[in-house]
Amino acid sequence: IIKSSDPTAYSGLSEAGQGLRKMYDRRRNDWVRHKAFLFIAKYDDGLQIEVQVHPEFGGTGNARKVAAEYAEVIGRLPTSLRKGVKTVMIQKGVLLFGGGNNNISIHTGHAARYVKWGVLEEVLVHEAAHCSLEADGQQVTSRWQAAQNADGQFISGYAEKHPDREDIAESYLAYFAIRYRPTRISKALALKIIDTIPDRIKYFDSLNLQMHPVK
């Protein structure tokens, strides 16, 4: 749905030294304080993200390379998804990504798998949707609940299993595909999406989301 050749809003990275940060490490299933390498990722729509790189990456040079790599990929996400992302945590390990509370957590071992499968950007869309499209202090608004009820079905088994926690993030990527990258999916899949979540599609349309650099 999003390709590495697509435009990015990423405009550069500045160093912010090292500082103590609490980073959620799925290898330990716990928050751990680290003196992380810190960078400020800048985007041409005025948004900025603090990128926190685990000290296990060695020196500033290696940390900067890793931070820039993911900051550029995140720049392919539209403004509407990046606006709620204030921090990004980058650590090693083959563990799933996480998103929410204005943060995206990246484990580079699993990121390599996502790149191999061609879904790194799509996974980041999902995690950024948790940060930017879910209401503050609650996971499902009454309007979203009404759209769920009207549709009566879900875009994925994951969304159906966790309707209060994963439905928005799961549904948004399907919405993005039919609205902004319809030529990258089959007509049959597009029709299935439209038939499955029509009221959720209307909900996303109503938000008048900022889509730079997608359009």
Side-chain angles (χ1 to χ4, degrees):
I1 307 304
I2 302 176
K3 298 181 178 180
S4 59
S5 58
D6 286 344
T8 177
Y10 173 67
S11 61
L13 197 72
S14 61
E15 295 181 14
Q18 286 185 266
L20 287 175
R21 295 292 188 273
K22 289 181 69 175
M23 305 176 73
Y24 190 80
D25 192 335
R26 287 182 183 268
R27 292 170 294 186
R28 302 187 185 184
N29 287 319
D30 199 4
W31 291 94
V32 184
R33 290 177 67 86
H34 294 289
K35 191 176 182 181
F37 295 102
L38 305 177
F39 303 90
I40 304 300
K42 300 177 182 180
Y43 298 91
D44 62 15
D45 51 11
L47 296 181
Q48 296 186 357
I49 297 173
E50 182 183 81
V51 183
Q52 306 163 359
V53 182
H54 195 292
E56 66 189 337
F57 283 92
T60 302
N62 285 339
R64 182 185 180 92
K65 181 179 179 181
V66 171
E69 176 184 353
Y70 291 101
E72 180 177 0
V73 176
I74 290 169
R76 296 190 188 104
L77 276 55
T79 300
S80 58
L81 291 189
R82 283 180 288 109
K83 69 178 183 179
V85 181
K86 305 304 180 184
T87 57
V88 171
M89 300 183 300
I90 303 177
Q91 304 171 87
K92 294 184 179 181
V94 186
L95 287 302
L96 296 174
F97 286 17
N101 298 315
N102 303 119
N103 172 267
I104 293 176
S105 174
I106 293 172
H107 282 280
T108 57
H110 217 296
R113 291 183 172 181
Y114 290 145
V115 170
K116 181 179 179 180
W117 300 333
V119 298
L120 177 61
E121 287 85 356
E122 289 77 8
V123 172
L124 288 168
V125 164
H126 177 102
E127 304 304 348
H130 282 305
C131 298
S132 300
L133 299 182
E134 294 174 354
D136 293 338
Q138 64 183 75
Q139 295 169 317
V140 176
T141 66
S142 58
R143 287 184 59 215
W144 184 260
Q145 184 70 62
Q148 280 184 331
N149 293 337
D151 288 338
Q153 49 192 342
F154 293 84
I155 200 64
S156 71
Y158 190 42
E160 185 172 16
K161 186 176 180 180
H162 305 285
D164 295 338
R165 178 163 60 85
E166 299 295 342
D167 191 33
I168 289 177
E170 287 285 279
S171 299
Y172 179 79
L173 183 62
Y175 167 80
F176 180 91
I178 63 166
R179 281 288 183 262
Y180 301 102
R181 294 291 185 263
T183 60
R184 295 182 182 177
I185 60 175
S186 68
K187 290 183 179 180
L189 179 56
L191 289 173
K192 179 175 286 189
I193 293 169
I194 293 169
D195 183 60
T196 303
I197 56 169
D199 279 81
R200 291 178 180 84
I201 291 170
K202 292 176 184 176
Y203 171 87
F204 286 130
D205 281 341
S206 75
L207 300 180
N208 295 314
L209 298 170
Q210 297 172 284
M211 298 306 296
H212 176 76
V214 176
K215 70 168 188 173

